[in-house]
Amino acid sequence: GAGVSQSPSNKVTEKGKDVELRCDPISGHTALYWYRQRLGQGLEFLIYFQGNSAPDKSGLPSDRFSAERTGESVSTLTIQRTQQEDSAVYLCASSWTSGSEQYFGPGTRLTVT
Amino acid sequence: AQSVTQPDIHITVSEGASLELRCNYSYGATPYLFWYVQSPGQGLQLLLKYFSGDTLVQGIKGFEAEFKRSQSSFNLRKPSVHWSDAAEYFCAVGVPYSSASKIIFGSGTRLSIRP
């Protein structure tokens, strides 16, 4: 089947605007992760969904960031009142279950001007 | 909680030379262990994984890694590197079947290849 898909692939927005990023995981994967990767940096964990459990939001950098997941399918990451420091590639990954290998999407490159 | 350390930020090796990238983890039991590669402008690709059993695991592109419990390490090796191996390499650790767990990534090691 298809891999993890993310949309849009690129997003340019003005400072102060809200953006919504979408992730479609692999069908049947119960775990879904969002990461942020700034230019030349490693992966920064943002949020993690596992089945119907409460999400682990411990990585969200501020209350401007939020994410939702509908059941075991699509997830959206919302950034409100974007700032220039939010510019990064946002990566989504899914896995069969917690702790198993992750399959990554191509990412969304967000540029805040 | 688990953690993972990649002590080498940047390594340069000559084409054809052997390679070892270090990874150390912290966790009370045996975790799941992974190596991912991110080539320039590309997404993250799983190279290999360790869940249990044989401590020497083979991956794609000629890579292998050895789990050493006594050293809490999972170092990545390749006997002869190719120019196309230039990339960022990430070690990751996960806790199996725990709804409270998540995959934790190291900060990455950038590999450059000298012609």
Side-chain angles (χ1 to χ4, degrees), chain B residues 17-78:
Chain B
S18 63
L19 170 71
E20 183 168 29
L21 301 182
R22 296 184 291 166
C23 173
N24 293 96
Y25 69 90
S26 174
Y27 181 61
T30 300
Y32 288 168
L33 295 159
F34 311 90
W35 275 99
Y36 287 84
V37 60
Q38 187 177 35
S39 299
Q42 302 296 313
L44 278 136
Q45 182 182 21
L46 180 70
L47 279 177
L48 47 77
K49 63 191 178 191
Y50 173 78
F51 284 1
S52 65
D54 193 347
T55 57
L56 183 64
V57 293
Q58 303 296 321
I60 61 172
K61 305 184 180 185
F63 285 92
E64 66 178 27
E66 185 172 12
F67 168 60
K68 292 187 177 179
R69 186 190 309 274
S70 61
Q71 298 176 18
S72 297
S73 69
F74 189 57
N75 294 349
L76 181 72
R77 301 194 296 247
K78 187 169 184 178

Side-chain angles (χ1 to χ4, degrees), chain A residues 33-104:
Chain A
Y33 304 76
W34 283 98
Y35 297 92
R36 179 170 68 181
Q37 187 175 33
R38 291 193 167 109
L39 186 64
Q41 303 296 310
L43 294 168
E44 180 184 359
F45 167 77
L46 296 178
I47 188 168
Y48 157 61
F49 297 90
Q50 171 60 58
N52 295 319
S53 301
D56 178 345
K57 304 179 181 180
S58 60
L60 294 178
S62 76
D63 59 6
R64 296 188 296 105
F65 288 73
S66 63
E68 294 183 347
R69 186 182 187 192
T70 307
E72 293 185 352
S73 61
V74 172
S75 175
T76 55
L77 176 69
T78 302
I79 308 173
Q80 296 178 310
R81 305 180 302 282
T82 53
Q83 304 295 311
Q84 287 188 330
E85 63 262 29
D86 298 335
S87 296
V89 175
Y90 290 82
L91 292 164
C92 175
S94 69
S95 63
W96 284 111
T97 187
S98 168
S100 61
E101 70 265 36
Q102 296 175 305
Y103 295 81
F104 282 82

